[in-house]
Amino acid sequence: MRRKAEQRIRAAAADIGGNGPYRLDEVRAGAGLHPKIFDKTIIDMERVGTITLEPLAADSADAAAAAGFVRSGDRIYARFRFVEGPSAAPAPPWAHEAARNAAPAPIDATVVILQHLLPGEWEAFSDRCQTREGMSPHEKIEEMIRRYLYADS
């Protein structure tokens, strides 16, 4: 049953188009699944690593429309993104075990903390990055840094 529900979720996301993130309320409407089955399948897809869920900000304007989103405990998820792409076949069960036992790849990361933003500014920036640019906020910030560094060369 989960496999059929996942196929319907993937088909609904494909009907919406793009490569995500997909709004959960829009995919829910297109999938035509019972709400409990949809919610359980989405949570399960995140658990096995098929998708990543994006939580809804508490002060977001979408908080009023949260009925179409997915709840897990006290968290409300508004969007999701496929990890391997919406048309890829699901990984075999042993692939997740092998991934857990593999040594993690070294990460060269820099943590940036943004201070002095007004309430709701980060969420507005995130939404504009998604809708106008089709990229995540961190991708947009990376692009801005590179444009700043290499614009004069």
Side-chain angles (χ1 to χ4, degrees):
M1 179 131 144
R2 182 195 170 278
R3 179 168 276 133
K4 287 184 180 181
E6 183 174 341
Q7 288 173 348
R8 291 178 76 174
I9 290 169
R10 287 178 179 275
D15 289 343
I16 292 171
N19 60 354
Y22 301 99
R23 284 181 53 109
L24 284 162
D25 54 348
E26 293 173 356
V27 175
R28 178 189 300 272
L33 294 169
H34 188 276
K36 287 184 180 180
I37 293 172
F38 180 85
D39 292 358
K40 186 175 182 341
T41 304
I42 288 290
I43 297 297
D44 194 44
M45 288 172 73
E46 192 221 12
R47 183 183 57 80
V48 299
T50 306
I51 63 171
T52 55
L53 290 170
E54 297 179 13
L56 178 68
D59 59 345
S60 173
D62 289 335
F69 298 143
V70 173
R71 294 177 186 268
S72 179
D74 59 346
R75 292 195 105 172
I76 301 173
Y77 296 102
R79 298 172 189 209
F80 75 96
R81 190 182 287 276
F82 288 102
V83 173
E84 74 281 342
S87 61
W94 62 85
H96 298 294
E97 186 65 32
R100 265 186 254 131
N101 294 333
I107 298 174
D108 182 22
T110 301
V111 176
V112 177
I113 298 173
L114 300 174
Q115 295 179 338
H116 311 293
L117 289 177
L118 297 174
E121 283 183 330
W122 175 256
E123 290 78 12
F125 176 73
S126 178
D127 285 342
R128 286 187 181 176
C129 289
Q130 301 293 337
T131 56
R132 290 183 182 175
E133 306 286 334
M135 58 178 63
S136 67
H138 77 272
E139 291 170 330
K140 181 62 180 176
I141 291 173
E142 289 172 359
E143 175 190 297
M144 291 164 52
I145 290 171
R146 288 187 182 106
R147 193 172 351 138
Y148 181 80
L149 289 174
Y150 305 115
D152 294 333
S153 32

